[in-house]
């Protein structure tokens, strides 16, 4: 554990987010109105999202978007976060590669999710919104938004995926301690939830279902807006503080990454760590590889199709051009609840289609083995989500060793796993399994999408 | 949440611990052999503790004791920790006082306990010891020592107080993830444990009991040493990195504390935050107040007696001159498991007797109210132990406001409460109580001590 941290000062917190939409060689196709199939404009999202988030969603011209002072003030609770040279892990692997991780787990809610929760709550407050609602998987996003909502004096209702509500009661308690209302999803409080419970009383929920419920609440409640923790362009935008800080810290370390890795659910932390480095690939200055690490049980980027699909289970959202497994895909109950989502955001999907990023699908047991090795060599118990990035970093280090090369590998430690210890218990007891989805299952599920457009 | 952090670099990690024993106006009376009543020397502790820890225990001449490079290397995983001006809390209180906290919760195990776990494991390794054993209350110390033991390649057995073993299963899992063996105490694995279980089958354990079990294992196992997370002088010594860093950070803030507060179980984090500031009281340069915040259910400093007593339930340890409630005192099952200990370390006890520090006893409900206010205003959910310090800081800020004065108040946030959410659940549900101990109960319990010496 001779690891070395690279530490920035508060004055080094970025003053602007990096907007990759302005620089992508091929822009994603537009979101569509599912009824008319017409492209949407920012104003079309105003009933659902805050106006500022809606405008950011469509902004493909401004490369840099200023971070409001009120947001930077709150970032200062825990930012800048450390970049760490993981010498303990390197030694445990016996690799000649250099492994770095950006430690986003140091936020008070334990993950990177606050980076977007804060600006979204701020924009709601500024607009005069009183109530916001959202969904959460493992509870990382819900905990972050609960804190941000409390700070800006907003009421918050969180639909929490039922399997996580039961698996991770502590995250529910965290949200409640900050003052949020938490509802297990699917619930009887919405039409979407009632339908799903009626069709399948034992269904343990998914992010897609929880999004449907939150969207329904937002669109049927006065002065209430919906807030999303991943998938959307504006969320990816806010998360770029991760990569922008990491870029400066890699300069302090005197290296530049050959490979940058983030775990992948809808794209929030992956976008955050990679986009600022990706811009140097656009200019030809660097030729870094970017790897999205997804669960083999929910493998949209590696095994899904790029197609217009809904962002939610019930079909309330606009149609989004995404790598998808189908919006009614029911992922296995893996412990990485934040990665149990059927689709990838539009930007990441386009980048994947264009060969500008890669993806890897990782079995659950491999992620826990990686997590345990990391905990014992670096001291930090990682979130099950983040363990997908660690497992991928380990794969790449081993591959480089086999090829007789030394790589500079950077991954994002999106969160800690201190509230996921029940999962570790099961792993240590040998009670965890892999859940591989077959290509036939995926083909059947996505075949239903053709009628959407 | 306009809070402001003061951030040091890794090169600012102290190179020496501050040894208050060398400068105290009145030294504590010596530890005694319970059989002969003769004062002990360092060598007398060698069968139990590592030789280096034993020597440090008796070192009352060296003001500064060098921190080994191997220890500083591991401190770099998370140190230096931030000092934070808690403007959010100040605003919520409407106080004109300035409140600062040292954030020790950012360690990978979530508390300050690693500060002493690392050197103690290092000294064991250096001495050729292969096995170590300890006790833990809430699990903060056990988690820290598990990580340190893993790093230095030592086998570790942890006796965990039964009430916490059941209340806080995640901390048990953390220890196991790092590779430690965890036993609920009292257990049938030791003579001390078997006797207690036989006398009282439903006894939920205490730190005193768990210490007895660990001491028995250490003294009956070849090449095994006992390691303690609080009470002892050498533990207080190691924890002074907290206050030494905080002193520099207060200089960055351009202020000096009028009041320094730490929660109090056996003394580890209280000693760590206060001793470096206390030395400037010795010289007359400052006249800071120091307040040990203890639970009203376990009030040794505020309601106990200063007397020779055992450090453990079964009477295996040397006799220590301590403020005590009696070594067989059975504290109520409050959630601040780390504060459920009958006695105060010798140094702190002497300082209290000499009027150089103060103490406050805080009801459990007041600590949770303070914790909730802190979580909502500063974003960090505190450990139930640390909440005693927060409650005391709030008391002092209110008192200063009533007196029309503005104070600079510094407290130590010894750990986060993310693994204590079951306690918050109970608080939010209105299911928590206060547990006041009467002076009559204490008088009866300490009356039994007279025969010890």
């Amino acid at each position: 554990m001779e690891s070395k941290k690279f530490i920035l000062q508060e004055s080094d917190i970025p003053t602007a987010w990096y907007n990759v939409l302005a620089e992508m060689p091929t822009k994603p196709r537009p979101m569509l109105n599912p009824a008319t199939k017409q492209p949407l404009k920012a104003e079309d999202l105003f009933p659902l999202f805050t106006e500022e988030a809606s405008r950011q969603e469509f902004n493909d011209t401004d490369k840099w978007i200023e971070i409001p002072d009120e947001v930077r003030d709150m970032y200062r609770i825990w930012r800048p976060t450390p970049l760490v040279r993981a010498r303990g892990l390197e030694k445990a692997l016996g690799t000649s590669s250099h492994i770095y991780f950006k430690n986003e787990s140091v936020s008070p809610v334990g993950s990177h999710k606050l980076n977007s929760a804060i600006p979204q709550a701020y924009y709601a407050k500024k607009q005069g919104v009183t109530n916001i609602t959202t969904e959460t998987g493992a509870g990382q996003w819900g905990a972050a938004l609960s804190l941000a909502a409390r700070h800006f004096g907003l009421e918050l209702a969180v639909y929490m995926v039922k399997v996580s509500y039961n698996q991770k009661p502590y995250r529910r308690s965290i949200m409640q301690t900050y003052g949020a209302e938490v509802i297990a999803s699917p619930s009887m409080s919405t039409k979407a939830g009632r339908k799903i419970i009626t069709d399948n009383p034992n269904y343990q929920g998914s992010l897609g279902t929880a999004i449907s419920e939150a969207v329904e609440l937002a669109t049927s409640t006065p002065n209430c807006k919906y807030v999303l923790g991943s998938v959307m362009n504006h969320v990816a935008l806010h998360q770029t503080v991760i990569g922008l800080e990491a870029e400066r810290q890699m300069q302090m370390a005197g290296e530049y990454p050959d490979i940058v890795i983030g775990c992948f659910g809808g794209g929030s932390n992956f976008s955050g760590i990679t986009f600022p480095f990706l811009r140097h690939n656009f200019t030809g200055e660097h030729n870094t590889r970017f790897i999205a690490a997804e669960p083999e049980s929910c493998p949209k980027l590696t095994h899904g199709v790029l197609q217009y699909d809904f962002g939610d289970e019930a079909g309330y959202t606009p149609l989004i051009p995404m790598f998808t497994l189908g919006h009614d895909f029911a992922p296995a109950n893996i412990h990485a609840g934040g990665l149990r989502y059927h689709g990838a955001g539009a930007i990441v999907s386009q980048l994947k289609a264009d060969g500008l990023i890669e993806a890897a699908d990782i079995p659950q047991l491999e992620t826990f083995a990686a997590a345990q090795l990391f905990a014992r060599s670096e001291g930090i118990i990682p979130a099950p989500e983040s363990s997908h990035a660690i497992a991928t970093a380990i794969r790449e280090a081993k591959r480089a060793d086999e090829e007789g090369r030394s790589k500079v590998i950077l991954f994002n430690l999106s969160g800690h796993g201190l509230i996921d210890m029940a999962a570790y218990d099961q792993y240590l007891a040998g009670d965890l399994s892999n859940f591989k989805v077959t290509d036939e299952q995926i083909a059947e599920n996505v075949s239903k999408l053709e009628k959407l457009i």
Side-chain angles (χ1 to χ4, degrees), chain A:
Chain A
M1 254 168 266
E2 304 74 10
S3 298
K4 166 86 186 146
K5 294 197 304 296
F6 299 91
I7 299 175
L8 299 171
Q9 293 293 321
E10 288 192 352
S11 53
D12 299 318
I13 295 173
T15 54
W17 294 300
Y18 170 64
N19 181 20
V20 74
L21 262 182
E23 297 204 309
M24 290 172 71
T26 312
K27 317 256 192 237
R29 284 173 289 167
M31 283 191 285
L32 302 181
N33 179 318
T36 66
K37 308 289 190 290
Q38 291 303 303
L40 295 179
K41 299 183 303 295
E43 302 79 69
D44 298 322
L45 294 185
F46 287 0
L48 190 57
F49 294 107
T50 64
E51 294 179 12
E52 187 58 31
S54 303
R55 277 190 285 266
Q56 290 177 350
E57 189 65 23
F58 287 87
N59 186 332
D60 61 1
T61 50
D62 299 321
K63 181 175 167 186
W64 298 101
I65 294 181
E66 195 183 332
I67 304 176
D69 285 345
E70 293 82 350
V71 172
R72 289 184 83 237
D73 277 351
M74 204 173 161
Y75 278 170
R76 288 198 280 117
I77 294 177
W78 81 104
R79 301 208 73 86
T81 63
L83 179 86
V84 183
R85 168 86 184 271
R87 289 186 193 268
L89 179 61
E90 291 173 16
K91 203 165 153 187
L93 293 170
T95 184
S96 63
S97 288
H98 294 187
I99 304 178
Y100 293 83
F101 64 92
K102 178 71 168 162
N103 187 358
E104 290 290 302
S105 79
V106 297
S107 99
V109 292
S111 84
H112 70 291
K113 290 290 190 184
L114 264 179
N115 297 329
S116 185
I118 293 168
Q120 292 200 66
Y122 168 70
Y123 294 138
K125 182 66 179 179
K126 202 175 155 197
Q127 192 182 324
V129 166
T130 55
N131 292 55
I132 57 178
T133 181
T134 195
E135 79 296 327
T136 196
Q140 297 271 29
W141 167 247
L145 192 62
S146 299
L147 171 53
R150 160 64 48 179
H151 177 66
F152 291 110
L154 303 165
E155 295 300 317
L156 169 65
V158 181
Y159 289 91
M160 184 172 189
V161 176
K162 198 171 276 179
V163 59
S164 294
Y165 188 92
N166 294 322
Q167 271 179 352
K168 300 176 200 290
Y170 282 17
R171 284 237 174 72
R172 169 183 54 70
S173 309
I174 291 170
M175 293 183 253
Q176 291 167 334
T177 297
Y178 289 130
E181 183 183 347
V182 187
I183 309 111
S185 168
S187 77
M188 296 299 283
S189 70
T190 63
K191 279 194 291 185
R194 284 193 292 275
K195 179 174 185 316
I196 291 163
I197 289 176
T198 307
D199 292 350
N200 181 355
N202 295 320
Y203 186 52
Q204 291 300 298
S206 71
L207 279 167
T209 302
I211 293 172
S212 295
E213 295 206 87
V215 167
E216 187 180 321
L217 183 74
T219 51
S220 61
T221 305
N223 211 12
C224 180
K225 294 295 170 196
Y226 172 61
V227 176
L228 191 56
S230 192
V231 182
M232 305 298 284
N233 301 344
H234 62 273
V235 178
L237 174 74
H238 304 153
Q239 292 292 352
T240 58
V241 288
I242 303 172
L244 292 167
E245 285 181 7
E247 189 187 353
R248 291 193 57 167
Q249 290 163 310
M250 289 300 301
Q251 283 165 4
M252 291 166 75
E255 303 209 88
Y256 193 90
D258 298 306
I259 303 170
V260 181
I261 300 164
C263 66
F264 197 88
S268 71
N269 95 93
F270 174 78
S271 303
I273 187 79
T274 59
F275 289 177
F277 291 98
L278 185 61
R279 77 184 203 273
H280 302 299
N281 274 20
F282 293 153
T283 60
E285 189 190 347
H286 285 286
N287 189 25
T288 299
R289 290 173 56 208
F290 301 96
I291 307 176
E294 58 184 12
E296 108 183 312
S297 56
C298 198
K300 54 259 182 183
L301 285 171
T302 49
H303 291 83
V305 294
L306 178 55
Q307 194 148 348
Y308 272 105
D309 196 1
F310 290 111
D312 69 319
E313 158 90 30
Y316 289 156
T317 70
L319 288 170
I320 305 170
M322 45 166 48
F323 271 95
T324 181
L325 302 166
H327 59 274
D328 62 350
F329 179 77
N333 292 341
I334 57 167
H335 282 278
L339 309 186
R340 295 176 72 251
Y341 184 69
H342 67 276
I347 294 175
V348 168
S349 293
Q350 189 63 47
L351 293 170
K352 175 70 168 56
D354 292 344
L356 297 173
I357 65 163
E358 307 167 34
D361 56 327
I362 317 285
Q364 177 161 260
L365 291 176
E366 184 179 340
T367 68
F368 275 90
Q372 189 179 47
L373 183 66
F374 184 77
R376 293 183 174 189
S377 58
E378 291 295 326
I380 302 169
I381 295 181
E385 291 83 0
S386 317
S387 304
H388 289 71
I390 300 171
T392 306
I394 292 172
R395 280 188 182 185
E396 292 298 328
K398 286 182 175 170
R399 180 176 307 170
D401 289 332
E402 282 163 17
E403 293 170 353
R405 292 184 298 176
S406 168
K407 297 283 187 184
V408 177
I409 300 170
L410 166 65
F411 71 86
N412 191 40
L413 183 74
S414 57
H416 66 64
L418 294 180
I419 311 180
D420 303 280
M421 294 313 302
Y424 281 86
D425 260 4
Q426 289 183 24
Y427 174 69
L428 292 171
D431 289 343
L432 286 191
S433 309
N434 290 330
F435 296 97
K436 192 166 172 57
V437 187
T438 66
D439 286 333
E440 291 69 29
Q441 288 170 312
I442 295 168
E444 190 191 331
N445 215 54
V446 296
S447 69
K448 295 179 278 182
L449 297 181
E450 288 171 18
K451 67 177 190 303
L452 290 181
I453 185 155

